[in-house]
C-alpha cells in the first residue's frame, strides 16, 4: 500500500485545519482534530489510534509518538500540499465530493426533485450534494475552481 492511499483515513492536528479541507476535496477521509474535540497531544494520539487514522502533523514531538505519522514542515497550505505530493499523495480533485468539507462525513447527491437552500443551485441543472451528518450542501462552484487552480499550480 502506498504512503498516500486514499483508503487510509487521516487525522490532521490542530495546525492543519485548512489542509483538511483540501484533502477532503481530493477524496481523502481527513478528520481534523479540533472538529473532534482533540487538542491536547494525548487526545490527538488516542483519537488516531482508536479510529485507526494516520496522523498528519507539524509537531515533531507528536509525530515521534506514532510510528506511521507524517510530519509536515511547512506552514503555508500550498507548501504543505507540495510536501504531500512529494510523498505520493494524489492531489487531484474528485469527480464528485465524497466527504463533507465542513465535518468530513459522507455526502450524497441531492435528487433533482429535492428542495435545496436558496443559495444552492438547482439540482436539476447542476450537481448538488448534501452532507449526511451536518446537512451542508456542496456543488462545483467558484470555490471548487479556486482549489483546482491551486492544485494545478503545484
Amino acid at each position: 500500500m502506498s504512503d498516500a492511499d486514499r483508503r487510509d483515513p487521516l487525522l490532521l492536528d490542530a495546525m492543519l485545519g485548512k489542509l483538511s479541507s483540501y484533502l477532503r476535496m481530493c477524496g481523502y477521509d481527513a478528520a481534523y482534530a479540533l472538529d473532534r474535540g482533540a487538542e491536547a497531544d494525548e487526545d490527538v494520539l488516542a483519537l488516531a489510534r482508536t479510529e485507526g487514522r494516520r496522523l498528519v502533523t507539524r509537531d515533531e514531538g507528536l509525530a515521534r509518538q506514532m510510528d506511521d505519522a507524517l510530519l509536515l514542515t511547512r506552514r503555508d497550505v500550498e507548501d504543505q500540499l507540495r510536501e504531500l505530493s512529494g510523498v505520493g499523495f494524489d492531489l487531484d480533485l474528485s469527480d464528485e465530493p465524497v466527504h463533507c468539507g465542513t465535518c468530513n462525513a459522507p455526502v450524497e447527491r441531492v435528487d433533482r426533485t429535492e428542495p435545496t437552500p436558496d443559495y444552492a443551485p438547482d439540482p436539476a441543472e447542476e450537481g448538488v450534494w448534501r452532507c449526511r451528518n451536518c446537512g451542508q450542501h456542496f456543488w462545483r462552484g467558484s470555490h471548487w475552481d479556486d482549489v483546482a487552480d491551486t492544485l494545478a499550480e503545484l
Side-chain angles (χ1 to χ4, degrees):
M1 187 179 306
S2 76
D3 273 341
D5 193 322
R6 289 187 198 202
R7 293 170 290 181
D8 293 340
L10 305 171
L11 177 63
L12 286 81
D13 76 2
M15 295 183 272
L16 301 173
K18 189 171 183 180
L19 180 61
S20 67
S21 295
Y22 278 86
L23 290 173
R24 291 169 184 166
M25 291 180 74
C26 291
Y28 289 92
D29 176 353
Y32 177 47
L34 290 183
D35 288 345
R36 308 295 285 284
E39 186 171 0
D41 287 1
E42 58 272 7
D43 296 334
V44 172
L45 293 168
L47 182 61
R49 289 180 177 124
T50 300
E51 295 188 4
R53 293 181 176 276
R54 184 174 187 193
L55 178 63
V56 182
T57 182
R58 288 190 55 241
D59 182 324
E60 289 182 45
L62 189 58
R64 281 194 296 270
Q65 296 180 60
M66 285 204 72
D67 292 336
D68 65 343
L70 179 57
L71 178 65
L72 300 179
T73 60
R74 307 300 298 265
R75 293 181 59 109
D76 180 74
V77 71
E78 290 179 22
D79 292 332
Q80 293 166 353
L81 290 164
R82 282 185 189 89
E83 285 184 278
L84 292 173
S85 179
V87 295
F89 275 67
D90 179 3
L91 297 177
D92 293 321
L93 286 177
S94 297
D95 292 334
E96 296 186 357
V98 179
H99 299 279
C100 176
T102 302
C103 74
N104 196 48
V107 297
E108 60 191 359
R109 192 175 189 109
V110 173
D111 184 78
R112 56 184 303 198
T113 62
E114 291 182 61
T116 56
D118 291 338
Y119 61 83
D122 182 348
E125 298 174 14
E126 186 175 334
V128 177
W129 294 264
R130 176 183 47 245
C131 176
R132 294 180 188 170
N133 183 48
C134 72
Q136 179 81 20
H137 285 77
F138 299 91
W139 60 94
R140 292 177 63 158
S142 61
H143 179 63
W144 190 276
D145 296 337
D146 292 344
V147 170
D149 291 344
T150 297
L151 296 173
E153 292 174 9
L154 298 177

